[in-house]
Amino acid sequence: MAVKTSDEAKLRQDLSRSSTPTLVPSSSESSISEYEYRSSFPKNEIIHTQSTQANGNNITLQKIVTSTAFQKRLSRQSSLPWGHKPSPLIGASCFLFLLPIPLLIRACCPVSACLLGCVTVSSYLSDHVYTGLESWTHTLDRVMAPMAFASNLYATYCTCGLGWACLSLPALKCHLWANYYSKNGMYDQFVIWHSLWHVVGVGVILFCFTLNGAVGKCWEGSRWEESFMNFS
């Protein structure tokens, strides 16, 4: 009887143990869940980062396009407050940009020479023919003029040196003074300083490339090399 009672108690104890739910996952379950978490987290993080960067780029591009300075540069409107009032002095000074072209070609700077040729046309149309009027030539000149200035500044630096390139600062100062007088509606002063912007800018290029007598390597071995050397 005692043996039977002990057997029943042991059986009840085994049944109670088997019915108790386990709260600790097995090693296989734990490793699977951990793998799923680790594999899913970086992917979601990458997607979130990429979307954030895309949104940031879109916002930056939108700010640039909608900025006032960008819209003014691409505007067809003239920035001069006195309307259509062409100056023969400014119109004549636009053709000075043609003078450095032979020196730039001799120094193997075709891009700078080409940009000066384009600026000759754009500046004459914008500063003289359509001055004070709405025209696409204002947009063209606002784009071409900085490109030509930067290209010739770089060509002067590469061909003549840093000290020679720094001589372009007075030309830039003339341009800033011309903008100042145009914003304040001072026509006569604007004509003087805008003409000086053309004259000084061209004069610096002529001065640097003439004194240095730079002949580019693109002419080596050609029949033009001797002619250029004699010319310099």
Side-chain angles (χ1 to χ4, degrees):
M1 184 69 178
V3 175
K4 184 176 180 181
T5 302
S6 61
D7 291 338
E8 289 179 356
K10 188 176 181 180
L11 180 60
R12 289 176 182 176
Q13 188 175 9
D14 293 336
L15 290 174
S16 63
R17 288 180 180 178
S18 61
S19 61
T20 303
T22 178
L23 297 178
V24 180
S26 62
S27 59
S28 59
E29 291 176 350
S30 177
S31 59
I32 291 175
S33 60
E34 184 179 359
Y35 172 77
E36 290 177 350
Y37 174 76
R38 289 182 178 178
S39 61
S40 61
F41 178 77
K43 182 178 180 181
N44 295 335
E45 186 68 22
I46 292 174
I47 294 175
H48 177 70
T49 303
Q50 290 177 346
S51 62
T52 303
Q53 292 177 350
N55 293 334
N57 294 335
N58 292 335
I59 293 174
T60 303
L61 181 61
Q62 184 179 3
K63 287 183 178 180
I64 294 175
V65 173
T66 57
S67 63
T68 304
F70 185 80
Q71 290 179 350
K72 284 184 177 180
R73 183 158 294 275
L74 297 182
S75 174
R76 298 173 67 238
Q77 299 291 334
S78 174
S79 60
L80 303 179
W82 44 75
H84 185 61
K85 196 175 179 180
S87 169
L89 182 60
I90 294 179
S93 66
C94 295
F95 292 97
L96 295 176
F97 292 119
L98 296 174
L99 296 179
I101 291 180
L103 297 177
L104 292 170
I105 294 176
R106 185 185 70 174
C108 296
C109 302
V111 176
S112 300
C114 180
L115 287 174
L116 280 184
C118 296
V119 165
T120 303
V121 178
S122 66
S123 63
Y124 180 75
L125 293 176
S126 177
D127 297 340
H128 185 70
V129 178
Y130 296 101
T131 179
L133 303 175
E134 181 179 349
S135 174
W136 59 267
T137 58
H138 302 311
T139 305
L140 179 63
D141 191 53
R142 293 187 188 108
V143 173
M144 296 301 304
M147 292 176 59
F149 180 80
S151 178
N152 281 272
L153 182 64
Y154 181 73
T156 305
Y157 167 74
C158 294
T159 306
C160 305
L162 179 60
W164 297 90
C166 291
L167 295 177
S168 60
L169 293 177
L172 186 60
K173 186 176 182 179
C174 293
H175 176 64
L176 296 177
W177 276 112
N179 287 341
Y180 170 79
Y181 288 120
S182 67
K183 291 179 180 179
N184 288 274
M186 305 172 70
Y187 175 77
D188 294 333
Q189 290 81 352
F190 167 78
V191 170
I192 294 174
W193 286 102
H194 194 81
S195 300
L196 285 175
W197 154 241
H198 294 168
V199 173
V200 175
V202 171
V204 169
I205 300 174
L206 293 174
F207 181 74
C208 294
F209 281 83
T210 300
L211 289 186
N212 285 274
V215 179
K217 294 183 179 180
C218 61
W219 300 109
E220 290 182 356
S222 67
R223 61 187 182 91
W224 294 99
E225 182 181 9
E226 185 178 355
S227 301
F228 284 143
M229 293 299 295
N230 294 332
F231 176 74
S232 60

